[in-house]
Amino acid sequence: MLALRERLPLWLQLRCGLEPKTLAALAVVLVGAAVLAAVHFWTVRPQSVRAPEPVGGGEAAPAAVREPAHPGSPAPPPGPSAGQPPAADPGGQIVVDVSGKVRMPGIRRLPAGSRVADALRAAGGVREGTDITGINRARVLVDGEQVVVGPAAVPSGSGTTGGGGPAAGHAGPTAPVSLNTATMDQLETLPGVGPVLAQHIVDYRTEHGGYRSVDELREVNGIGDRRFADLQPLVRP
C-alpha cells in the first residue's frame, strides 16, 4: 500500500490526505477501469467471417446470365431455351406443268416460293425466237399451275402473200392465244378485242396471278356470254 501511495502524484497525495481507506478505494476504482477497458477491447476486436457457400452446390450459372468469354465480345444469341421457338423451315415443293416453246416441256418439281423464271429455267429455257414479253417472270408460282410459253414470235416482215389474204387488222389467229402469255398486240388479234378489252384481260391476269382455265375469261370486265362464245375456241390458259 505504501508503495502505491508513493507512486501517486504529489497533488493526489495531498488531496486524498494519504489516508489508507482513500487509497484502497482509489486502487479498486483503477483496477475496475482497467478490467472494463480490457473487456471492451476484447468485444470490439475484428473477427474473421467465413464466406457463404454458393447456392445449388456450385453449379454453373444459367446460360441466360453468362458473360462473354472475352471482354468486349458479343454475347451469344439465346437458344431455344430462351423462350423463342426456332423458325420453322417449310422445305415444301410445288408441282408445275411447263409447256409450249421451251426446250424440255413437262412436269417440274420446284421449291415452294419459286417464280415463273425458275420454272422456265428448270425446263431448259425458252426456245429461240419465242416472244416472252407478255410473261411475268417475277410472278410467284402456285402448286398445280401450268406455265405455257408461246406462240413463237412472227418476224416483222412476214405476212400472208397474195391479194386474197385477209385484210390487216383483226385477222383471226392461226393458233390459240395463251391468256397467260399473250401480249396486248396478240390479244387484239382476237375478234371483238380492242385495246381497252385487251388491257382488261391483262389486268385480270396480273391481279389473279394468271388464268387457270378459259372459263375465267367470263369474269373479265367487258366480256359477256356472246363474246365469250366467240373467244372460247381461240384462246387457252
Side-chain angles (χ1 to χ4, degrees), residues 223-231:
I223 297 180
D225 294 338
R226 183 175 180 179
R227 183 161 295 174
F228 175 77
D230 296 335
L231 297 176

Side-chain angles (χ1 to χ4, degrees), residues 120-205:
L120 298 179
R121 191 179 303 110
V126 180
R127 293 181 182 177
E128 185 178 358
T130 303
D131 184 8
I132 59 173
T133 56
I135 300 179
N136 183 7
R137 287 169 287 177
R139 180 172 57 84
V140 179
L141 297 170
V142 296
D143 186 43
E145 182 177 350
Q146 183 184 29
V147 179
V148 182
V149 181
V154 179
S156 57
S158 63
T160 304
T161 59
H170 291 285
T174 59
V177 176
S178 173
L179 297 174
N180 288 323
T181 61
T183 62
M184 293 280 294
D185 294 336
Q186 292 172 341
L187 291 173
E188 291 179 17
T189 62
L190 298 171
V193 178
V196 176
L197 186 54
Q199 185 63 51
H200 290 336
I201 296 175
V202 173
D203 292 342
Y204 182 91
R205 179 175 66 192

Side-chain angles (χ1 to χ4, degrees), residues 66-76:
R66 289 179 182 172
E67 296 183 356
H70 301 284
S73 60

Side-chain angles (χ1 to χ4, degrees), residues 205-216:
R205 179 175 66 192
T206 303
E207 294 173 3
H208 297 80
Y211 292 86
R212 304 295 185 271
S213 66
V214 177
D215 293 336
E216 291 185 39

